[in-house]
């Protein structure tokens, strides 16, 4: 964060100053007192279960320079009507104080975090790059990411999520992105938006917010995204796996679950061998390559970056190579598109290793009235892919259309405790996938499966 005094911050956020005006703030805000750094701002946010004001004193004791709060506390603070609004104002000020900073906004129904991680790896080889932690993509997380930038920061990569129309417009009013990336319009959050058309309109807010010198990076994976820049005088780069895409992948080969392909751009052709798991990583890689191409980064640097990048975010296609068992922990989140991709990866690994495939699937949230149908469709697709075992963890809807005579065994488990008992039926060479929406906390099941298998092999837990 650029250095600011308490007096300057109070003016920016239109707050009541209760601290020395020349008190210097040198670190970006935090909202968890355990994350305090000396000289930072502590945000006293009031949540559903906890009130940040209760932790303000602890934050100051650990080195926070200043608290932004909605009521007076004992210590240096700025009192505002709404802490989140104040955060947005402060982030907007910092963005405008860094005119040479290149800001890239990424949105889409799936792949935002992985694309962000891949792009951060590539851009980090060119200059100081700030990227969102985990999935910091809302009115709290995005400003916090932006405020980590300083005068030495060259690139800032922001995820932009939305749960209602207008939210991305608000985020863009803070970040003023130079480059906007739309990956794909899918069915995630369908229950909140009501239709894919409404989802597409919201994602398009990122492209509509770009200035005349902005660059739109658009995926060719649905019917909505390719037209989002129509009527705008913007530079446009498209990515996909067809000849119509300016940035594309050809000669695709999947080896040990990892994509190998030739990256084709207007600058030429280069081989890429990804370390990340799954063919569904190809669109994310192409999106990152498109941004890097727009920024005039050499093709060989882009291909090298995609081939060496390690994922930075937890529980996304994490591989656990155990003693004759492979566990794929993809429990961070789930929607129909990402679940199908994960099942394809599971099937490929099982075919390569000769063991049985086990898909432990929990609920996919936020699908609205189509939830039951979407879950049942996933179950049918798993059967068509030749998955050996479908384990429905508190989600019997997956098995609605599976007949009793199916070659795929369907296991209905009401709890994770019941599901982990199936470890008794694993055999050497089997491959296990754990996938569900974040709220299901299926990473706990993944950890238990790893622990139980290692325990039986006499390995440390």
């Amino acid at each position: 964060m650029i250095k600011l005094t308490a007096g300057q911050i109070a003016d920016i956020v239109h707050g009541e100053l209760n601290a020395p005006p020349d008190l210097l703030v040198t670190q970006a805000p935090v909202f968890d007192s355990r994350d305090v750094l000396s000289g930072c701002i502590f945000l006293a946010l009031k949540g559903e279960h906890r009130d940040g004001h209760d932790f303000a004193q602890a934050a100051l004791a650990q080195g926070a320079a200043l608290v932004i709060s909605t009521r007076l506390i004992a210590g240096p603070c700025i009192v505002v009507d709404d802490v989140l609004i104040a955060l947005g104002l402060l982030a907007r000020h910092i963005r405008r104080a860094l005119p040479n900073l290149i800001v890239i906004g990424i949105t889409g129904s799936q792949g935002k975090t992985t694309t962000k991680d891949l792009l951060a790896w590539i851009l980090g080889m060119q200059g100081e790059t700030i990227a969102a932690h985990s999935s910091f993509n809302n009115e709290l997380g995005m400003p916090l990411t932006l405020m980590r930038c300083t005068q030495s920061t060259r690139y800032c990569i922001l995820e932009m999520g939305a749960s209602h129309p207008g939210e991305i417009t608000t985020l863009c009013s803070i970040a003023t992105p130079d480059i906007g990336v739309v990956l794909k319009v899918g069915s995630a959050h369908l229950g909140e938006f009501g239709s894919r058309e409404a989802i597409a309109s919201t994602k398009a807010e990122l492209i509509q917010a770009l200035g005349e010198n902005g660059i739109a990076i658009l995926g060719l994976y649905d019917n909505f995204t390719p037209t989002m820049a129509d009527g705008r005088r913007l530079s446009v780069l498209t990515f996909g796996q067809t000849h119509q895409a300016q940035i594309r992948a050809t000669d695709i080969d999947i080896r040990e679950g990892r994509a190998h392909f030739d990256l084709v751009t207007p600058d030429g052709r280069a081989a890429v061998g990804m370390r990340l798991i799954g063919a569904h990583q190809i669109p994310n890689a192409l999106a990152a390559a498109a941004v890097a191409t727009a920024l005039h980064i050499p093709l060989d640097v882009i291909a090298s970056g995609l081939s060496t990048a390690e994922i930075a975010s937890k529980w996304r296609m994490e591989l656990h190579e155990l003693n004759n068992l492979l566990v794929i922990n993809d429990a961070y989140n789930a929607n129909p598109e990402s679940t199908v991709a994960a099942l394809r990866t599971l099937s490929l690994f099982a075919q390569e290793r000769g063991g049985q495939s086990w898909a432990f699937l929990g609920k996919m949230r936020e699908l609205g009235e189509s939830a039951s149908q979407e879950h049942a469709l996933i179950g049918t697709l798993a059967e068509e892919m030749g998955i050996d075992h479908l384990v429905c963890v508190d989600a019997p809807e997956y098995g609605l259309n599976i007949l009793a005579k199916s070659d795929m065994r369907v296991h209905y488990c009401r709890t994770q405790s019941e599901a982990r008992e199936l470890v008794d039926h694993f055999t050497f060479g089997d491959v296990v996938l754990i996938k569900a929406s974040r709220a299901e906390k299926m990473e706990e099941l993944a950890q238990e499966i790893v622990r139980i298998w290692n325990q039986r092999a006499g390995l440390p837990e």
Side-chain angles (χ1 to χ4, degrees):
M1 175 175 158
I2 62 175
K3 295 179 181 179
L4 293 169
T5 65
Q8 290 173 317
I9 294 171
D11 288 341
I12 293 165
V13 303
H14 310 302
E16 177 189 327
L17 179 62
N18 295 277
D22 59 351
L23 177 66
L24 193 61
V25 175
T26 59
Q27 297 286 345
V30 300
F31 59 89
D32 188 328
S33 59
R34 295 169 295 184
D35 297 331
V36 165
L37 296 174
S38 180
C40 77
I41 299 170
F42 178 72
L43 304 173
L45 292 166
K46 189 172 183 179
E48 184 178 349
H49 302 293
R50 294 187 177 184
D51 186 343
H53 293 82
D54 297 336
F55 300 89
Q57 295 303 316
L60 290 169
Q62 292 174 57
L66 184 69
V67 176
I68 296 181
S69 59
T70 57
R71 63 174 186 262
L72 192 63
I73 65 163
C77 67
I78 296 173
V79 179
V80 297
D81 292 331
D82 188 306
V83 175
L84 271 181
I85 291 175
L87 176 65
L89 291 170
L90 189 54
R92 182 183 288 115
H93 173 85
I94 288 175
R95 169 64 176 116
R96 282 149 183 74
L98 299 172
N100 295 324
L101 177 69
I102 297 174
V103 175
I104 302 110
I106 301 175
T107 193
S109 297
Q110 66 185 88
K112 293 186 293 295
T113 300
T114 302
T115 301
K116 174 259 301 181
D117 288 339
L118 289 169
L119 184 57
W121 189 278
I122 296 170
L123 298 186
M125 296 188 288
Q126 301 297 300
E128 182 181 309
T129 301
I130 294 294
H133 289 311
S134 186
S135 292
F136 269 27
N137 62 17
N138 59 13
E139 60 184 346
L140 172 60
M142 195 217 71
L144 289 175
T145 301
L146 185 58
M147 291 180 65
R148 290 164 47 209
C149 297
T150 68
Q151 286 87 348
S152 63
T153 307
R154 187 172 178 184
Y155 306 107
C156 180
I157 308 169
L158 302 173
E159 289 187 49
M160 295 186 176
S163 56
H164 54 78
E167 191 169 353
I168 290 179
T169 296
T170 299
L171 296 178
C172 287
S173 72
I174 296 170
T176 55
D178 302 288
I179 298 175
V181 183
V182 182
L183 302 170
K184 180 181 180 180
V185 174
S187 53
H189 303 293
L190 188 60
E192 296 169 343
F193 286 95
S195 68
R196 291 186 73 211
E197 288 78 6
I199 295 172
S201 178
T202 300
K203 302 301 182 188
E205 292 174 12
L206 172 56
I207 305 304
Q208 295 306 311
L210 294 173
E212 290 186 0
N213 296 322
I215 302 173
I217 309 294
L218 303 176
L220 302 186
Y221 290 92
D222 62 83
N223 295 327
F224 302 100
T225 305
T227 63
M228 286 183 180
D230 288 1
R232 296 292 316 280
R233 293 184 177 181
L234 298 171
S235 296
V236 178
L237 269 179
T238 58
F239 64 92
Q241 287 156 242
T242 66
H243 288 292
Q244 289 76 27
Q246 294 160 282
I247 310 297
R248 62 185 184 272
T250 64
D251 296 335
I252 297 170
D253 185 24
I254 306 299
R255 305 173 204 161
E256 296 183 343
R258 296 167 173 86
H260 294 252
F261 58 89
D262 278 359
L263 173 64
V264 179
T265 79
D267 297 325
R269 186 182 187 114
V272 171
M274 298 189 71
R275 293 188 179 185
L276 305 188
I277 301 302
H280 63 288
Q281 304 291 6
I282 296 173
N284 304 328
L286 294 177
V291 175
T293 299
L295 293 171
H296 307 293
I297 294 174
L299 177 58
D300 59 338
V301 174
I302 298 172
S304 174
L306 293 176
S307 298
T308 57
E310 299 282 1
I311 199 82
S313 302
K314 294 177 64 177
W315 308 326
R316 287 177 170 86
M317 300 303 285
E318 279 187 358
L319 290 190
H320 297 270
E321 289 274 9
L322 309 181
N323 183 27
N324 292 305
L325 183 77
L326 177 64
V327 176
I328 307 170
N329 182 358
D330 195 27
Y332 187 84
N333 216 338
N335 56 53
E337 292 87 356
S338 67
T339 302
V340 170
L343 286 170
R344 289 195 179 115
T345 300
L346 169 65
S347 177
L348 283 170
F349 268 116
Q351 290 171 18
E352 288 180 352
R353 291 170 179 248
Q356 295 189 89
S357 51
W358 294 78
F360 287 74
L361 303 183
K363 283 188 176 70
M364 299 180 292
R365 301 273 183 163
E366 301 171 344
L367 295 178
E369 295 179 358
S370 65
S372 181
Q373 178 184 352
E374 293 284 3
H375 284 81
L377 179 59
I378 292 294
T380 301
L381 289 172
E383 182 181 35
E384 292 173 356
M385 289 180 197
I387 300 301
D388 298 299
H389 297 270
L390 174 62
V391 185
C392 309
V393 185
D394 191 29
E397 303 92 331
Y398 284 113
L400 285 177
N401 296 335
I402 307 302
L403 302 177
K405 62 180 181 180
S406 171
D407 291 333
M408 181 176 71
R409 284 282 308 275
V410 182
H411 309 266
Y412 296 98
C413 301
R414 291 170 296 177
T415 65
Q416 292 190 24
S417 295
E418 288 183 18
R420 72 187 184 191
E421 292 177 6
L422 290 170
V423 177
D424 289 340
H425 301 279
F426 293 172
T427 57
F428 286 175
D430 285 359
V431 183
V432 179
L433 167 71
I434 297 92
K435 179 79 172 170
S437 283
R438 182 72 190 92
E440 302 303 296
K441 298 183 178 180
M442 288 277 278
E443 71 278 1
E444 296 175 1
L445 176 60
Q447 292 163 3
E448 277 297 289
I449 289 173
V450 170
R451 183 189 65 80
I452 293 169
W453 187 264
N454 281 341
Q455 189 177 54
R456 290 185 181 171
L459 299 173
E461 295 183 10

